[in-house]
């Protein structure tokens, strides 16, 4: 299958899942009243499309640029910084006083994480230096996040923070879409323009440089685009893992190993996967004795963990 035909097939799948998402609710599938459609279902669907697309595309770019099949958007630590910024806004009571403070705090955390990442890896931008900078930033964000959870003012705040950290779209709103949409789309635009450069990097950094590929600039743009796209969506949806890792691996058996051919299909495939997961968590309380819908991040982790084991076994063989 060619990349073009795969994109058309995935686009049709995303369109079908988008329609299903607008119809899916706690009572099953059905046409909701206009208020519910516009205030609840539409922003939830849009954020799922944005988050899934950003994660899938970022995963394909990082795996191609770093030549690492286990590279994931969470590797760079910017999503962790976004979550930390939102938690700080919640912890200090800003979210209670000003509703947009939570996503704004997440966006500020993502912006700070992006600056730190680019600063750490600016002097010698290469695959290993970018990975090391991302690991350091992830560790720092995780430590500060753990400290914020330990110092949570009361058990109810801790429970609410923990639920939000698992990732999901149950609290999505149109203002959140407006906040996350522009930086996410800008990041997607930056990443989609890297196709040919990633094809060169797939041959190795030295070979790519001999072919005229600006290796350092390409890796910085990959980091910047990932930070914008994933950081903005993490700021409003929390941490949703494994999507960026799984989607490119699901597409490679069909499209091949060339990084440039995987970018747009991974964008659409990520949107389809997250949309399907969000629909599933809404319908699960009808099928199982659950008091509330589980977080989307939990379901994507349950899907991604077996795929990760399969990848590890394939690499070991």
């Amino acid at each position: 299958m060619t990349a073009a035909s795969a994109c058309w097939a995935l686009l049709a799948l995303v369109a079908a899942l988008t329609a299903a998402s607008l119809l899916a609710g706690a009572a099953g599938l059905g046409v909701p009243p206009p208020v519910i459609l516009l205030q609840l279902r539409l922003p939830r669907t849009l954020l799922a499309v944005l988050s899934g697309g950003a994660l899938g595309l970022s995963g394909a770019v990082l795996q191609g640029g770093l030549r690492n099949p286990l590279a994931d958007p969470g590797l760079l630590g910017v999503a962790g910084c976004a979550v930390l910024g939102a938690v700080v806004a919640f912890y200090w009571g800003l979210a209670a006083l000003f509703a947009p403070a939570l996503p704004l705090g997440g966006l500020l955390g993502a912006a700070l994480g992006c600056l730190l990442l680019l600063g750490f890896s600016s002097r010698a931008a290469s695959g290993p230096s970018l990975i090391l900078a991302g690991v350091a930033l992830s560790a720092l964000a995780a430590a500060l996040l753990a400290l914020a959870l330990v110092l949570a003012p009361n058990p109810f705040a801790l429970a609410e923070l923990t639920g939000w950290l698992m990732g999901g779209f149950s609290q999505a709103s149109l203002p959140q879409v407006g906040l996350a949409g522009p930086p996410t789309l800008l990041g997607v635009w930056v990443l989609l323009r890297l196709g040919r450069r990633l094809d060169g990097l797939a041959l190795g950094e030295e070979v790519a440089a001999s072919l005229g590929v600006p290796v350092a600039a390409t890796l910085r743009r990959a980091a910047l685009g990932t930070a914008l796209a994933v950081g903005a969506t993490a700021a409003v949806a929390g941490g949703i893992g494994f999507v960026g890792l799984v989607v490119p691996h699901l597409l490679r058996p069909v499209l091949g190993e060339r990084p440039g051919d995987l970018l747009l299909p991974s964008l659409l495939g990520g949107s389809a996967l997250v949309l399907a997961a969000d629909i599933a968590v809404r319908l699960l309380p009808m099928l199982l004795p659950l008091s509330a819908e589980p977080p989307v991040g939990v379901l994507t982790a349950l899907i991604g963990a077996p795929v990760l084991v399969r990848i590890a076994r394939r690499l070991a063989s």
Side-chain angles (χ1 to χ4, degrees), residues 34-57:
V35 174
I36 293 178
L37 179 66
L38 294 176
Q39 299 298 323
L40 299 178
R41 305 274 178 86
L42 180 61
R44 182 167 188 163
T45 299
L46 292 176
L47 278 182
V49 170
L50 286 172
S51 298
L55 290 167
L57 174 60

Side-chain angles (χ1 to χ4, degrees), residues 56-288:
L57 174 60
S58 298
V61 168
L62 293 178
Q63 289 175 19
L66 301 176
R67 302 181 308 286
N68 186 340
L70 299 180
D72 178 83
L75 179 70
L76 298 185
V78 177
C81 291
V83 172
L84 176 63
V87 167
V88 169
F90 180 90
Y91 179 80
W92 290 104
L94 299 177
L97 300 175
F98 179 56
L102 193 68
L104 285 174
L107 288 174
L108 289 175
L112 179 60
C114 180
L115 292 175
L116 290 174
L117 177 66
L118 295 177
F120 288 159
S121 60
S122 60
R123 294 195 175 185
S126 63
S129 69
L130 191 61
I131 292 174
L132 288 174
V135 169
L137 190 59
S138 296
L140 177 62
L144 293 176
L145 182 59
L147 180 63
L149 292 176
V150 168
L151 299 177
N154 58 68
F156 300 103
L158 179 60
E160 188 168 351
L161 282 175
T162 304
W164 186 82
L165 289 174
M166 294 179 182
F169 309 102
S170 59
Q171 304 299 319
S173 64
L174 289 176
Q176 288 183 352
V177 176
L179 285 172
T184 301
L185 294 176
L186 178 58
V188 166
W189 179 77
V190 170
L191 295 176
L192 285 176
R193 292 170 57 87
L194 296 177
R196 292 185 177 179
R197 295 187 179 187
L198 294 177
D199 291 340
L201 277 174
L203 302 173
E205 292 184 4
E206 293 183 0
V207 176
S210 68
L211 294 175
V213 176
V215 175
T218 300
L219 292 176
R220 290 194 192 100
R221 289 189 183 184
L224 177 61
T226 299
L228 286 170
V230 177
T233 55
V236 296
I240 299 176
F242 285 98
V243 176
L245 175 63
V246 168
V247 170
H249 284 283
L250 294 177
L251 293 172
R252 282 195 183 95
V254 179
L255 298 175
E257 298 289 336
R258 186 176 178 182
D261 289 343
L262 289 169
L263 298 191
L264 188 54
S266 294
L267 171 72
L268 297 171
S271 294
L273 178 59
V274 174
L275 275 172
D278 188 48
I279 294 170
V281 298
R282 279 185 262 175
L283 299 179
L284 274 178
M286 296 178 54
L287 306 174
L288 300 174

